[in-house]
Amino acid sequence: MAYKVVIDAGHGGTDPGAVYKGRQEKDDNLRLALAVGRILSQNGVDVVYTRTTDVYQTPFEKARIANQTGADWFISFHRNSSPQPNQYSGVESLVYDLSGRKVDMAENINGALGELGFKNLGVRARPGLVVLRRTQMPAVLVEVGFINNDADNALFDEKFDEIAQSIAYAILGTLEEEEVEKPPAGEPVLYRVQVGMFREKQYADNLLYELQDQGFPAYILSEDGFYKVQVGAYQYLANAVRMEQTLRRAGYSTWITT
């Protein structure tokens, strides 16, 4: 199935969002949205942007743009802010309510960013936000670190490419998880739990050894220019789900693929 995903860069134009030491949230949001969208497009996702330049849109306009596309998902990028500088740090994702596939998407994105060094603040329900309430498809708003936290900003800048890749792969992994729920008729399916995907084999090896040291039946699958660290190969989806739950309890961000 070909998916269509709306990528939204929060704020823009006359609305800078949060500002800290001359840094404007709208700029970070747009840079990240374009980077994530580019990776998704390269992996076969039909990407629609609410904005690609520094323009102002009301939240209602953003929701209207998304609804007109008939997209499957809406992902909005923001940076958080706190009353005092360096008061809080970490990533969190906001959803309309704590039910459905949007929660899985949010948890997968948070988990991927947590692996890069961000504190994972979890998933919260925010039904009052227009872009979550008015969109007709599952929607997730991701707060990628606090813009008035120096450590979060350093991580955002130093690992920007990895952040974009991790978010994109978390989105792709969630979409793959949807696919395995409805396998093609007549085709044998083996369900695998994926724990990581890397361009550099060294990083894949490190995760592989870590998993094997804990007794997980992990291995590396080289495919499409990536090294995918996976655990198990199960004929029944329920067995893969149980392994995924075990891995998540051990602190890993996972998704099921075939």
Side-chain angles (χ1 to χ4, degrees):
M1 174 180 177
Y3 285 91
K4 181 180 288 186
V5 176
V6 174
I7 298 294
D8 171 53
H11 306 286
T14 56
D15 174 15
V19 178
Y20 179 63
K21 294 182 178 179
R23 184 175 190 138
Q24 300 186 89
E25 181 189 354
K26 65 175 183 177
D27 298 327
D28 285 356
N29 296 341
L30 181 58
R31 183 183 173 209
L32 184 59
L34 293 175
V36 171
R38 189 178 307 114
I39 298 170
L40 292 178
S41 295
Q42 292 169 350
N43 284 271
V45 175
D46 184 2
V47 174
V48 178
Y49 300 95
T50 55
R51 70 181 180 98
T52 58
T53 59
D54 186 19
V55 296
Y56 173 71
Q57 300 158 319
T58 69
F60 292 96
E61 288 176 308
K62 292 175 179 292
R64 177 181 56 79
I65 291 170
N67 292 338
Q68 287 177 342
T69 68
D72 301 292
W73 284 89
F74 177 90
I75 310 292
S76 182
F77 292 110
H78 286 255
R79 303 288 313 280
N80 221 330
S81 186
S82 56
Q84 300 296 325
N86 299 305
Q87 183 178 14
Y88 302 116
S89 66
V91 298
E92 67 176 348
S93 289
L94 309 178
V95 293
Y96 179 76
D97 58 36
L98 297 176
S99 67
R101 296 289 294 146
K102 60 185 177 292
V103 177
D104 293 333
M105 177 71 80
E107 289 178 343
N108 287 340
I109 292 173
N110 281 7
L113 292 173
E115 291 177 359
L116 294 179
F118 285 105
K119 181 179 180 181
N120 187 347
L121 300 177
V123 180
R124 295 173 54 200
R126 289 287 298 276
L129 293 179
V130 171
V131 294
L132 302 180
R133 187 177 76 248
R134 291 298 185 95
T135 43
Q136 296 169 355
M137 67 289 299
V140 178
L141 188 153
V142 188
E143 300 274 12
V144 188
F146 282 74
I147 198 169
N148 63 344
N149 180 283
D150 294 319
D152 277 4
N153 283 340
L155 191 57
F156 186 93
D157 294 336
E158 293 167 7
K159 293 190 175 182
F160 179 82
D161 290 341
E162 293 175 74
I163 289 169
Q165 290 173 357
S166 293
I167 293 172
Y169 298 157
I171 293 172
L172 291 168
T174 307
L175 299 182
E176 286 184 9
E177 195 170 336
E178 288 185 338
E179 286 290 302
V180 302
E181 293 176 359
K182 296 180 288 185
E187 292 187 15
V189 175
L190 288 178
Y191 300 101
R192 309 168 190 271
V193 184
Q194 188 155 304
V195 187
M197 182 162 60
F198 307 91
R199 288 190 180 276
E200 300 294 333
K201 189 172 186 297
Q202 174 187 343
Y203 299 124
D205 285 337
N206 291 342
L207 180 55
L208 174 70
Y209 301 147
E210 178 182 311
L211 289 165
Q212 290 179 339
D213 284 345
Q214 298 179 66
F216 292 110
Y219 54 91
I220 294 177
L221 176 65
S222 179
E223 187 177 64
D224 301 327
F226 295 97
Y227 297 97
K228 302 178 180 181
V229 182
Q230 299 182 342
V231 176
Y234 304 95
Q235 183 177 358
Y236 298 102
L237 178 58
N239 292 334
V241 170
R242 280 193 287 271
M243 175 57 76
E244 182 182 40
Q245 292 171 343
T246 301
L247 285 160
R248 287 192 174 184
R249 284 195 296 270
Y252 294 98
S253 175
T254 66
W255 60 90
I256 295 176
T257 185
T258 56

